Amino acid sequence: MIFTLHNKIERNSIVLALGIIAVSAIGGLVEIAPLFTIDDTVEHAPDMRVYTPLELAGRNIYIREGCYACHSQMIRTLKDEVDRYGPYSRAVESQYDHPMLWGSKRTGPDLARIGEKYSDLWHTRHLVNPRDVVPQSIMPAYSWLLENELNTTDLRGNLKAMSRVGVPYEDSMINLANRDAVAQATPSSDDVAGLIARYGPATSVRVFDGDSQRVTEMDAVVAYLQILGRLTEIAHSEQSVQTDTNDNTIKAEGS
Amino acid sequence: MALAGHDIGFQLQGAVIVTAALVTLGALFSIRSQPEATAEELTYYYDAPIKAGIYLSLIWAMLGMFVGVWVALLLAYPELTFDYAWASLGRLRPVHTSGVIFGFGGNALIATSFHVVQRTSRTRLPDQLSPWFVLLGFNLFCLVAATGYLLGITQSKEYAEPEWYADIWLVIVWVTYLVLYLRTLARRQEPHIYVANWYYLAFILVVAVLHIINNLAVPVSFLGSKSYSLFSGVQDAMTQWWYGHNAVAFFLTSGFLGMLYYYLPKRAERPIYSYRMSIISFWGITFMYMWAGSHHLHYTALPQWVQTLGVTFSVMLLVPSWGSAGNALMTLNGAWHRVRDDATLRFMMVAAVFYGISTFEGSFMAIRPVNSLSHYTDWTIGHVHAGVLGWVAFIVFGTFYSLVPWIWHRERMYSLILIEVHFWLAIAGTIIYLIAMWNAGITQGIMWRTYNESGTLTYSFLESFVAMHPYYVARAFGGFLFLVGAALAFYNIVMTVRHVPLARNVTNDASVGPLSVPTGEATA
């Protein structure tokens, strides 16, 4: 009888503690461990590229300011979401996101496919004061992004740490991270060719914040926003948008 | 850290830590240098850290709820950021969530666990230093966390925002807490470990495991605040929600069920209705919650099989959850007249009811079609608050109103009328909040998925958040009422300690006497 057994357990604090650990461990083990081993958990996307140092810096500012509290980056396999935001998100698209920023609340719209949807100027004006471009907006103004010079001195260390957790940054990318960040926002720089060689011809090299004299935090954030959804083309090429009219969901392959 | 840090944020954090550490050290030193407890004192429970914990909990409640109301207002009036980076919504929001969950809730849990474990084990805490280390160390963690968010230092992991150094510090504090708890249990003079302690123990143990795994990260430099999570993408998502959902389970549920299982029967002067039901509920909760986290990731890039497991267990969870809620309410059977007359007991009764409501709602929202509508909307926020306002805060206030006169040996609370006023403010605030958020969430969900006859989406995103304005204003008002109620509690408790005369006969609550909680089964 389990209650007699329990009578014994509840007389011994160590047995009780071990019991709690054992019973609670099962769920996590069964659900999490296989995600690291089952192969098709994450699709293979040969064209998937890593963030440039400038984009990574922008991503870190996105985290610092808590943009994820209002914006998701995960389009679900529901018809209305695909119609509103674009192809649904694939696991591989956040493969290099340490941590992921899928979000849990949409006070503002999803940003998973915001890349190149608006101009750099639009983003800059919007971030300086959202109400200048969208009068009813309830998004905070981030005017300091345009004032703050971007701190590039630490980017090398940042790329190094990212490579330690498994992101395939090559040594040259790590060593030249600080210069690459400046180059990406300074089209006239001599370092641009090297940047393109390392990160690919699709890398956008522009004066993101409209001020060619300085590299600001705004440059970084806008560079990051403009790459969202564009690290790989997989979501656009392979998506089968067949709707199940019954429940408004889209059948993701393999499900 | 303060001097050598690589970034200004890290240096400021260092300054906070140095200052707090000096204060703490001073406090610990004065405790150490106090004479060893005399033989006579040793026959009394060690209550000083409990008293401090109650005050700290109330201070964090004020702070966390105030920021909560501010954040709520920001969504209606975004200018209230005043162009200060630290005052923007993204930075303030975690100050609110950590402030109330860890500051208010965590301190209440630590304080009451010290009380419950001593009373139910009929033994004094084994030493005088480690309880202070746990309490003050935990508050240092909360302080570093909150000041860090304002500076923009965050990992972005929900409910686990603090950076690596704060996380490591919490591990040290938490292990001390566990050892302290086990040592106290080892000295107990009762053969059985009372059910409230199972819950506190599960809270301490599982939170440790969750915290360590979810926060695994590689710092950029040991002299800087930034780190990169060990996990990425889909694995990180699952780990974060395994943590996130079980922070709800083992921090916001298990711990507070421990509170419920001690203070409710004591206040009602009735034994727990069913001992067997408490066994089944306990193990059911401990086992099943761990599977449920994936319901936060329906229709995402998380593999389907994990999502399916998540729903299945989320629905089954209703059984042990209602087992606990039912057990609590049945315990009150025969004491309903007291519930009517005693606002303190009524706080606890309402807590059990809201526990039942929010666990039902949780299972419901975990079902895929419901979740497709509710996810990403304010309904989620409403659901969380049904739990944290209706359940967690109500059980804490009910507990404090019982506990304060006991451990300060007062005849009663300073003002019973203020408790009554607090009760109605809290109820009104909670209900206004919930109705606003349910409406907001369901409206959003429907607007996002409504199609025209021509097959295009009817509403722009803009229309959907403009429609939220009245609900956001109402929610802020509900939160404000709740905050006022909490302030009354603070005032009432301070006045009790300062002005209410000592009870004439010191209750058996003070000394290591016979077990003071009614045990055994009502239904023999």
Side-chain angles (χ1 to χ4, degrees), chain A residues 6-7 10-11 31 65 74 83 95 98 100 104 106 158, chain B residues 91 158 188 192-193 228-229 232 236 275 283 291 372 376 451:
Chain A
H6 206 271
N7 207 320
E10 63 179 61
R11 285 159 177 264
E31 287 187 352
E65 300 299 347
M74 172 48 63
D83 286 348
Q95 185 179 21
H98 295 261
M100 61 88 195
S104 61
R106 280 185 189 149
N158 279 263
Chain B
R91 297 202 193 178
E158 281 192 69
R188 73 184 181 278
H192 290 269
I193 300 172
Y228 286 94
S229 157
S232 70
D236 185 45
Y275 166 72
W283 291 105
W291 298 76
S372 76
Y376 292 136
Y451 280 88

PDB file of all heavy atoms in Angstrom, chain A residues 6-7 10-11 31 65 74 83 95 98 100 104 106 158, chain B residues 91 158 188 192-193 228-229 232 236 275 283 291 372 376 451:
ATOM      1  N   HIS A   6       4.724   5.505   2.141  1.00  0.00           N
ATOM      2  CA  HIS A   6       4.933   6.921   2.378  1.00  0.00           C
ATOM      3  C   HIS A   6       5.227   7.208   3.840  1.00  0.00           C
ATOM      4  O   HIS A   6       6.017   8.091   4.176  1.00  0.00           O
ATOM      5  CB  HIS A   6       3.724   7.729   1.908  1.00  0.00           C
ATOM      6  CG  HIS A   6       4.080   9.135   1.555  1.00  0.00           C
ATOM      7  ND1 HIS A   6       4.080  10.154   2.464  1.00  0.00           N
ATOM      8  CD2 HIS A   6       4.523   9.669   0.391  1.00  0.00           C
ATOM      9  CE1 HIS A   6       4.483  11.262   1.878  1.00  0.00           C
ATOM     10  NE2 HIS A   6       4.768  10.998   0.616  1.00  0.00           N
ATOM     11  N   ASN A   7       4.594   6.440   4.667  1.00  0.00           N
ATOM     12  CA  ASN A   7       4.845   6.563   6.098  1.00  0.00           C
ATOM     13  C   ASN A   7       6.335   6.470   6.406  1.00  0.00           C
ATOM     14  O   ASN A   7       6.862   7.152   7.275  1.00  0.00           O
ATOM     15  CB  ASN A   7       4.090   5.435   6.791  1.00  0.00           C
ATOM     16  CG  ASN A   7       3.737   5.821   8.194  1.00  0.00           C
ATOM     17  OD1 ASN A   7       4.547   6.439   8.862  1.00  0.00           O
ATOM     18  ND2 ASN A   7       2.542   5.461   8.630  1.00  0.00           N
ATOM     19  N   GLU A  10       8.297   9.661   4.720  1.00  0.00           N
ATOM     20  CA  GLU A  10       8.187  10.957   5.379  1.00  0.00           C
ATOM     21  C   GLU A  10       8.817  10.966   6.770  1.00  0.00           C
ATOM     22  O   GLU A  10       8.693  11.935   7.508  1.00  0.00           O
ATOM     23  CB  GLU A  10       6.728  11.394   5.450  1.00  0.00           C
ATOM     24  CG  GLU A  10       5.869  10.487   6.280  1.00  0.00           C
ATOM     25  CD  GLU A  10       4.435  10.981   6.332  1.00  0.00           C
ATOM     26  OE1 GLU A  10       3.814  11.058   5.265  1.00  0.00           O
ATOM     27  OE2 GLU A  10       3.953  11.283   7.430  1.00  0.00           O
ATOM     28  N   ARG A  11       9.512   9.886   7.111  1.00  0.00           N
ATOM     29  CA  ARG A  11      10.266   9.910   8.359  1.00  0.00           C
ATOM     30  C   ARG A  11      11.745  10.153   8.095  1.00  0.00           C
ATOM     31  O   ARG A  11      12.537  10.229   9.029  1.00  0.00           O
ATOM     32  CB  ARG A  11      10.134   8.557   9.077  1.00  0.00           C
ATOM     33  CG  ARG A  11       8.802   8.358   9.745  1.00  0.00           C
ATOM     34  CD  ARG A  11       8.593   6.873   9.952  1.00  0.00           C
ATOM     35  NE  ARG A  11       7.353   6.627  10.668  1.00  0.00           N
ATOM     36  CZ  ARG A  11       7.286   6.449  11.986  1.00  0.00           C
ATOM     37  NH1 ARG A  11       8.368   6.486  12.720  1.00  0.00           N
ATOM     38  NH2 ARG A  11       6.134   6.236  12.560  1.00  0.00           N
ATOM     39  N   GLU A  31      12.043  15.380 -22.110  1.00  0.00           N
ATOM     40  CA  GLU A  31      11.686  16.397 -23.103  1.00  0.00           C
ATOM     41  C   GLU A  31      12.869  17.182 -23.630  1.00  0.00           C
ATOM     42  O   GLU A  31      12.864  17.622 -24.775  1.00  0.00           O
ATOM     43  CB  GLU A  31      10.656  17.367 -22.509  1.00  0.00           C
ATOM     44  CG  GLU A  31       9.285  16.739 -22.378  1.00  0.00           C
ATOM     45  CD  GLU A  31       8.228  17.743 -21.955  1.00  0.00           C
ATOM     46  OE1 GLU A  31       8.577  18.888 -21.626  1.00  0.00           O
ATOM     47  OE2 GLU A  31       7.044  17.365 -21.947  1.00  0.00           O
ATOM     48  N   GLU A  65      17.880  46.632 -23.762  1.00  0.00           N
ATOM     49  CA  GLU A  65      16.711  47.506 -23.627  1.00  0.00           C
ATOM     50  C   GLU A  65      15.423  46.736 -23.372  1.00  0.00           C
ATOM     51  O   GLU A  65      14.374  47.322 -23.147  1.00  0.00           O
ATOM     52  CB  GLU A  65      16.544  48.368 -24.882  1.00  0.00           C
ATOM     53  CG  GLU A  65      17.739  49.266 -25.183  1.00  0.00           C
ATOM     54  CD  GLU A  65      18.034  50.267 -24.068  1.00  0.00           C
ATOM     55  OE1 GLU A  65      17.178  50.441 -23.185  1.00  0.00           O
ATOM     56  OE2 GLU A  65      19.135  50.844 -24.065  1.00  0.00           O
ATOM     57  N   MET A  74       8.985  34.898 -33.378  1.00  0.00           N
ATOM     58  CA  MET A  74       8.602  33.504 -33.619  1.00  0.00           C
ATOM     59  C   MET A  74       7.226  33.507 -34.257  1.00  0.00           C
ATOM     60  O   MET A  74       6.222  33.711 -33.586  1.00  0.00           O
ATOM     61  CB  MET A  74       8.597  32.723 -32.293  1.00  0.00           C
ATOM     62  CG  MET A  74       8.039  31.312 -32.344  1.00  0.00           C
ATOM     63  SD  MET A  74       8.632  30.241 -33.661  1.00  0.00           S
ATOM     64  CE  MET A  74      10.374  30.089 -33.335  1.00  0.00           C
ATOM     65  N   ASP A  83       0.033  35.114 -42.877  1.00  0.00           N
ATOM     66  CA  ASP A  83      -0.487  36.199 -43.705  1.00  0.00           C
ATOM     67  C   ASP A  83      -0.037  37.559 -43.190  1.00  0.00           C
ATOM     68  O   ASP A  83       0.204  38.482 -43.952  1.00  0.00           O
ATOM     69  CB  ASP A  83      -2.021  36.157 -43.732  1.00  0.00           C
ATOM     70  CG  ASP A  83      -2.523  35.016 -44.602  1.00  0.00           C
ATOM     71  OD1 ASP A  83      -1.683  34.442 -45.339  1.00  0.00           O
ATOM     72  OD2 ASP A  83      -3.721  34.685 -44.542  1.00  0.00           O
ATOM     73  N   GLN A  95      19.355  29.187 -34.617  1.00  0.00           N
ATOM     74  CA  GLN A  95      20.408  28.262 -34.213  1.00  0.00           C
ATOM     75  C   GLN A  95      21.576  28.967 -33.530  1.00  0.00           C
ATOM     76  O   GLN A  95      22.203  28.422 -32.638  1.00  0.00           O
ATOM     77  CB  GLN A  95      20.912  27.540 -35.466  1.00  0.00           C
ATOM     78  CG  GLN A  95      21.929  26.465 -35.188  1.00  0.00           C
ATOM     79  CD  GLN A  95      22.365  25.790 -36.486  1.00  0.00           C
ATOM     80  OE1 GLN A  95      22.223  26.341 -37.575  1.00  0.00           O
ATOM     81  NE2 GLN A  95      22.892  24.595 -36.373  1.00  0.00           N
ATOM     82  N   HIS A  98      22.093  32.819 -28.906  1.00  0.00           N
ATOM     83  CA  HIS A  98      22.417  32.486 -27.505  1.00  0.00           C
ATOM     84  C   HIS A  98      22.186  33.712 -26.642  1.00  0.00           C
ATOM     85  O   HIS A  98      23.053  34.557 -26.579  1.00  0.00           O
ATOM     86  CB  HIS A  98      23.888  32.075 -27.364  1.00  0.00           C
ATOM     87  CG  HIS A  98      24.270  30.836 -28.060  1.00  0.00           C
ATOM     88  ND1 HIS A  98      24.373  29.627 -27.419  1.00  0.00           N
ATOM     89  CD2 HIS A  98      24.605  30.599 -29.354  1.00  0.00           C
ATOM     90  CE1 HIS A  98      24.771  28.699 -28.291  1.00  0.00           C
ATOM     91  NE2 HIS A  98      24.916  29.257 -29.459  1.00  0.00           N
ATOM     92  N   MET A 100      17.928  32.495 -27.210  1.00  0.00           N
ATOM     93  CA  MET A 100      16.890  32.777 -28.206  1.00  0.00           C
ATOM     94  C   MET A 100      16.040  33.952 -27.732  1.00  0.00           C
ATOM     95  O   MET A 100      15.953  34.212 -26.543  1.00  0.00           O
ATOM     96  CB  MET A 100      16.028  31.528 -28.420  1.00  0.00           C
ATOM     97  CG  MET A 100      15.274  31.026 -27.197  1.00  0.00           C
ATOM     98  SD  MET A 100      13.670  31.822 -27.026  1.00  0.00           S
ATOM     99  CE  MET A 100      13.211  31.441 -25.354  1.00  0.00           C
ATOM    100  N   SER A 104       7.368  36.206 -25.602  1.00  0.00           N
ATOM    101  CA  SER A 104       6.138  35.572 -25.142  1.00  0.00           C
ATOM    102  C   SER A 104       4.955  36.536 -25.180  1.00  0.00           C
ATOM    103  O   SER A 104       3.847  36.182 -24.866  1.00  0.00           O
ATOM    104  CB  SER A 104       6.311  35.052 -23.712  1.00  0.00           C
ATOM    105  OG  SER A 104       6.598  36.121 -22.846  1.00  0.00           O
ATOM    106  N   ARG A 106       3.114  39.916 -27.421  1.00  0.00           N
ATOM    107  CA  ARG A 106       3.146  40.824 -28.557  1.00  0.00           C
ATOM    108  C   ARG A 106       2.411  42.109 -28.230  1.00  0.00           C
ATOM    109  O   ARG A 106       1.284  42.310 -28.674  1.00  0.00           O
ATOM    110  CB  ARG A 106       2.512  40.181 -29.787  1.00  0.00           C
ATOM    111  CG  ARG A 106       3.431  39.229 -30.501  1.00  0.00           C
ATOM    112  CD  ARG A 106       2.807  38.702 -31.778  1.00  0.00           C
ATOM    113  NE  ARG A 106       3.633  37.633 -32.330  1.00  0.00           N
ATOM    114  CZ  ARG A 106       3.160  36.615 -33.018  1.00  0.00           C
ATOM    115  NH1 ARG A 106       1.867  36.508 -33.250  1.00  0.00           N
ATOM    116  NH2 ARG A 106       3.979  35.685 -33.470  1.00  0.00           N
ATOM    117  N   ASN A 158      33.394  39.207 -27.244  1.00  0.00           N
ATOM    118  CA  ASN A 158      32.029  38.706 -27.440  1.00  0.00           C
ATOM    119  C   ASN A 158      31.985  37.589 -28.479  1.00  0.00           C
ATOM    120  O   ASN A 158      31.326  36.571 -28.280  1.00  0.00           O
ATOM    121  CB  ASN A 158      31.110  39.851 -27.867  1.00  0.00           C
ATOM    122  CG  ASN A 158      30.641  40.681 -26.687  1.00  0.00           C
ATOM    123  OD1 ASN A 158      29.555  40.471 -26.170  1.00  0.00           O
ATOM    124  ND2 ASN A 158      31.482  41.593 -26.235  1.00  0.00           N
TER     125      ASN A 158
ATOM    126  N   ARG B  91      13.272  47.858 -19.384  1.00  0.00           N
ATOM    127  CA  ARG B  91      14.154  47.731 -18.222  1.00  0.00           C
ATOM    128  C   ARG B  91      13.376  47.672 -16.917  1.00  0.00           C
ATOM    129  O   ARG B  91      13.785  47.014 -15.973  1.00  0.00           O
ATOM    130  CB  ARG B  91      15.124  48.916 -18.177  1.00  0.00           C
ATOM    131  CG  ARG B  91      16.058  48.953 -19.383  1.00  0.00           C
ATOM    132  CD  ARG B  91      17.289  49.750 -19.057  1.00  0.00           C
ATOM    133  NE  ARG B  91      18.063  50.073 -20.266  1.00  0.00           N
ATOM    134  CZ  ARG B  91      19.170  50.801 -20.250  1.00  0.00           C
ATOM    135  NH1 ARG B  91      19.617  51.290 -19.110  1.00  0.00           N
ATOM    136  NH2 ARG B  91      19.826  51.047 -21.369  1.00  0.00           N
ATOM    137  N   GLU B 158      13.412  34.925 -19.298  1.00  0.00           N
ATOM    138  CA  GLU B 158      12.302  35.367 -18.460  1.00  0.00           C
ATOM    139  C   GLU B 158      12.339  34.731 -17.071  1.00  0.00           C
ATOM    140  O   GLU B 158      12.486  33.523 -16.940  1.00  0.00           O
ATOM    141  CB  GLU B 158      10.963  35.078 -19.148  1.00  0.00           C
ATOM    142  CG  GLU B 158      10.662  36.122 -20.214  1.00  0.00           C
ATOM    143  CD  GLU B 158       9.238  36.059 -20.715  1.00  0.00           C
ATOM    144  OE1 GLU B 158       8.313  36.392 -19.953  1.00  0.00           O
ATOM    145  OE2 GLU B 158       9.056  35.667 -21.875  1.00  0.00           O
ATOM    146  N   ARG B 188      14.786  17.192  14.376  1.00  0.00           N
ATOM    147  CA  ARG B 188      13.383  17.286  14.770  1.00  0.00           C
ATOM    148  C   ARG B 188      13.035  16.290  15.870  1.00  0.00           C
ATOM    149  O   ARG B 188      13.657  15.230  15.993  1.00  0.00           O
ATOM    150  CB  ARG B 188      12.462  17.103  13.569  1.00  0.00           C
ATOM    151  CG  ARG B 188      12.382  15.694  13.046  1.00  0.00           C
ATOM    152  CD  ARG B 188      11.515  15.618  11.791  1.00  0.00           C
ATOM    153  NE  ARG B 188      11.448  14.232  11.332  1.00  0.00           N
ATOM    154  CZ  ARG B 188      12.382  13.657  10.607  1.00  0.00           C
ATOM    155  NH1 ARG B 188      13.466  14.328  10.254  1.00  0.00           N
ATOM    156  NH2 ARG B 188      12.269  12.390  10.248  1.00  0.00           N
ATOM    157  N   HIS B 192       7.572  12.135  12.249  1.00  0.00           N
ATOM    158  CA  HIS B 192       7.164  12.450  10.881  1.00  0.00           C
ATOM    159  C   HIS B 192       7.577  13.850  10.483  1.00  0.00           C
ATOM    160  O   HIS B 192       7.642  14.740  11.312  1.00  0.00           O
ATOM    161  CB  HIS B 192       5.644  12.328  10.733  1.00  0.00           C
ATOM    162  CG  HIS B 192       5.179  10.919  10.813  1.00  0.00           C
ATOM    163  ND1 HIS B 192       5.043  10.125   9.711  1.00  0.00           N
ATOM    164  CD2 HIS B 192       4.849  10.167  11.877  1.00  0.00           C
ATOM    165  CE1 HIS B 192       4.639   8.923  10.101  1.00  0.00           C
ATOM    166  NE2 HIS B 192       4.514   8.930  11.410  1.00  0.00           N
ATOM    167  N   ILE B 193       7.824  13.998   9.191  1.00  0.00           N
ATOM    168  CA  ILE B 193       8.059  15.338   8.648  1.00  0.00           C
ATOM    169  C   ILE B 193       6.708  15.861   8.190  1.00  0.00           C
ATOM    170  O   ILE B 193       6.065  15.265   7.328  1.00  0.00           O
ATOM    171  CB  ILE B 193       9.043  15.276   7.471  1.00  0.00           C
ATOM    172  CG1 ILE B 193      10.373  14.696   7.942  1.00  0.00           C
ATOM    173  CG2 ILE B 193       9.237  16.647   6.858  1.00  0.00           C
ATOM    174  CD1 ILE B 193      11.357  14.407   6.824  1.00  0.00           C
ATOM    175  N   TYR B 228      27.104  34.700 -22.546  1.00  0.00           N
ATOM    176  CA  TYR B 228      26.295  34.078 -23.588  1.00  0.00           C
ATOM    177  C   TYR B 228      25.778  32.736 -23.093  1.00  0.00           C
ATOM    178  O   TYR B 228      26.557  31.903 -22.615  1.00  0.00           O
ATOM    179  CB  TYR B 228      27.103  33.919 -24.881  1.00  0.00           C
ATOM    180  CG  TYR B 228      27.296  35.242 -25.578  1.00  0.00           C
ATOM    181  CD1 TYR B 228      28.429  36.000 -25.363  1.00  0.00           C
ATOM    182  CD2 TYR B 228      26.300  35.745 -26.405  1.00  0.00           C
ATOM    183  CE1 TYR B 228      28.590  37.240 -25.976  1.00  0.00           C
ATOM    184  CE2 TYR B 228      26.449  36.978 -27.014  1.00  0.00           C
ATOM    185  CZ  TYR B 228      27.589  37.720 -26.804  1.00  0.00           C
ATOM    186  OH  TYR B 228      27.729  38.944 -27.404  1.00  0.00           O
ATOM    187  N   SER B 229      24.485  32.551 -23.235  1.00  0.00           N
ATOM    188  CA  SER B 229      23.848  31.316 -22.802  1.00  0.00           C
ATOM    189  C   SER B 229      24.475  30.113 -23.508  1.00  0.00           C
ATOM    190  O   SER B 229      24.794  30.172 -24.688  1.00  0.00           O
ATOM    191  CB  SER B 229      22.358  31.408 -23.132  1.00  0.00           C
ATOM    192  OG  SER B 229      21.801  30.134 -23.225  1.00  0.00           O
ATOM    193  N   SER B 232      21.141  27.472 -27.372  1.00  0.00           N
ATOM    194  CA  SER B 232      20.640  28.434 -28.355  1.00  0.00           C
ATOM    195  C   SER B 232      19.340  27.912 -28.939  1.00  0.00           C
ATOM    196  O   SER B 232      18.972  26.755 -28.754  1.00  0.00           O
ATOM    197  CB  SER B 232      21.667  28.607 -29.474  1.00  0.00           C
ATOM    198  OG  SER B 232      21.722  27.431 -30.241  1.00  0.00           O
ATOM    199  N   ASP B 236      17.336  26.143 -26.338  1.00  0.00           N
ATOM    200  CA  ASP B 236      17.261  27.190 -25.326  1.00  0.00           C
ATOM    201  C   ASP B 236      15.810  27.514 -25.001  1.00  0.00           C
ATOM    202  O   ASP B 236      15.448  27.720 -23.838  1.00  0.00           O
ATOM    203  CB  ASP B 236      17.991  28.443 -25.832  1.00  0.00           C
ATOM    204  CG  ASP B 236      18.048  29.526 -24.765  1.00  0.00           C
ATOM    205  OD1 ASP B 236      18.366  29.191 -23.610  1.00  0.00           O
ATOM    206  OD2 ASP B 236      17.779  30.693 -25.076  1.00  0.00           O
ATOM    207  N   TYR B 275      -5.143  13.641   4.718  1.00  0.00           N
ATOM    208  CA  TYR B 275      -3.714  13.421   4.650  1.00  0.00           C
ATOM    209  C   TYR B 275      -3.353  12.685   3.356  1.00  0.00           C
ATOM    210  O   TYR B 275      -2.364  12.993   2.696  1.00  0.00           O
ATOM    211  CB  TYR B 275      -3.326  12.631   5.887  1.00  0.00           C
ATOM    212  CG  TYR B 275      -1.964  12.010   5.861  1.00  0.00           C
ATOM    213  CD1 TYR B 275      -0.824  12.802   5.977  1.00  0.00           C
ATOM    214  CD2 TYR B 275      -1.812  10.630   5.758  1.00  0.00           C
ATOM    215  CE1 TYR B 275       0.424  12.226   5.970  1.00  0.00           C
ATOM    216  CE2 TYR B 275      -0.561  10.043   5.749  1.00  0.00           C
ATOM    217  CZ  TYR B 275       0.557  10.847   5.859  1.00  0.00           C
ATOM    218  OH  TYR B 275       1.783  10.277   5.838  1.00  0.00           O
ATOM    219  N   TRP B 283       2.970  14.488  -4.738  1.00  0.00           N
ATOM    220  CA  TRP B 283       3.792  13.788  -5.733  1.00  0.00           C
ATOM    221  C   TRP B 283       3.301  14.035  -7.143  1.00  0.00           C
ATOM    222  O   TRP B 283       4.088  14.085  -8.084  1.00  0.00           O
ATOM    223  CB  TRP B 283       3.869  12.288  -5.404  1.00  0.00           C
ATOM    224  CG  TRP B 283       4.673  12.068  -4.147  1.00  0.00           C
ATOM    225  CD1 TRP B 283       4.202  11.756  -2.914  1.00  0.00           C
ATOM    226  CD2 TRP B 283       6.098  12.205  -4.005  1.00  0.00           C
ATOM    227  NE1 TRP B 283       5.228  11.687  -1.999  1.00  0.00           N
ATOM    228  CE2 TRP B 283       6.407  11.954  -2.641  1.00  0.00           C
ATOM    229  CE3 TRP B 283       7.143  12.537  -4.868  1.00  0.00           C
ATOM    230  CZ2 TRP B 283       7.709  12.008  -2.136  1.00  0.00           C
ATOM    231  CZ3 TRP B 283       8.432  12.584  -4.373  1.00  0.00           C
ATOM    232  CH2 TRP B 283       8.703  12.324  -3.016  1.00  0.00           C
ATOM    233  N   TRP B 291       6.768  18.428 -16.919  1.00  0.00           N
ATOM    234  CA  TRP B 291       6.510  18.109 -18.322  1.00  0.00           C
ATOM    235  C   TRP B 291       5.773  19.229 -19.044  1.00  0.00           C
ATOM    236  O   TRP B 291       5.653  19.200 -20.267  1.00  0.00           O
ATOM    237  CB  TRP B 291       5.641  16.854 -18.417  1.00  0.00           C
ATOM    238  CG  TRP B 291       6.227  15.614 -17.851  1.00  0.00           C
ATOM    239  CD1 TRP B 291       6.344  15.293 -16.529  1.00  0.00           C
ATOM    240  CD2 TRP B 291       6.772  14.511 -18.577  1.00  0.00           C
ATOM    241  NE1 TRP B 291       6.924  14.058 -16.395  1.00  0.00           N
ATOM    242  CE2 TRP B 291       7.194  13.552 -17.634  1.00  0.00           C
ATOM    243  CE3 TRP B 291       6.926  14.236 -19.937  1.00  0.00           C
ATOM    244  CZ2 TRP B 291       7.774  12.339 -18.001  1.00  0.00           C
ATOM    245  CZ3 TRP B 291       7.501  13.030 -20.304  1.00  0.00           C
ATOM    246  CH2 TRP B 291       7.924  12.091 -19.327  1.00  0.00           C
ATOM    247  N   SER B 372      -3.693  28.874 -29.291  1.00  0.00           N
ATOM    248  CA  SER B 372      -3.448  29.593 -30.541  1.00  0.00           C
ATOM    249  C   SER B 372      -4.050  30.985 -30.453  1.00  0.00           C
ATOM    250  O   SER B 372      -3.548  31.924 -31.048  1.00  0.00           O
ATOM    251  CB  SER B 372      -4.020  28.816 -31.728  1.00  0.00           C
ATOM    252  OG  SER B 372      -5.419  28.942 -31.783  1.00  0.00           O
ATOM    253  N   TYR B 376       0.752  35.066 -26.700  1.00  0.00           N
ATOM    254  CA  TYR B 376       1.247  36.384 -27.121  1.00  0.00           C
ATOM    255  C   TYR B 376       0.303  37.522 -26.729  1.00  0.00           C
ATOM    256  O   TYR B 376       0.592  38.675 -27.006  1.00  0.00           O
ATOM    257  CB  TYR B 376       1.475  36.471 -28.635  1.00  0.00           C
ATOM    258  CG  TYR B 376       2.603  35.628 -29.198  1.00  0.00           C
ATOM    259  CD1 TYR B 376       2.414  34.887 -30.370  1.00  0.00           C
ATOM    260  CD2 TYR B 376       3.866  35.598 -28.601  1.00  0.00           C
ATOM    261  CE1 TYR B 376       3.446  34.142 -30.923  1.00  0.00           C
ATOM    262  CE2 TYR B 376       4.895  34.851 -29.148  1.00  0.00           C
ATOM    263  CZ  TYR B 376       4.689  34.127 -30.312  1.00  0.00           C
ATOM    264  OH  TYR B 376       5.707  33.405 -30.863  1.00  0.00           O
ATOM    265  N   TYR B 451     -10.694  37.543 -40.521  1.00  0.00           N
ATOM    266  CA  TYR B 451     -10.538  37.762 -41.960  1.00  0.00           C
ATOM    267  C   TYR B 451     -11.768  38.439 -42.529  1.00  0.00           C
ATOM    268  O   TYR B 451     -12.897  38.235 -42.062  1.00  0.00           O
ATOM    269  CB  TYR B 451     -10.355  36.416 -42.682  1.00  0.00           C
ATOM    270  CG  TYR B 451      -8.942  35.884 -42.593  1.00  0.00           C
ATOM    271  CD1 TYR B 451      -8.548  35.088 -41.528  1.00  0.00           C
ATOM    272  CD2 TYR B 451      -8.010  36.191 -43.582  1.00  0.00           C
ATOM    273  CE1 TYR B 451      -7.252  34.598 -41.435  1.00  0.00           C
ATOM    274  CE2 TYR B 451      -6.718  35.712 -43.507  1.00  0.00           C
ATOM    275  CZ  TYR B 451      -6.341  34.917 -42.437  1.00  0.00           C
ATOM    276  OH  TYR B 451      -5.063  34.452 -42.369  1.00  0.00           O
TER     277      TYR B 451
END
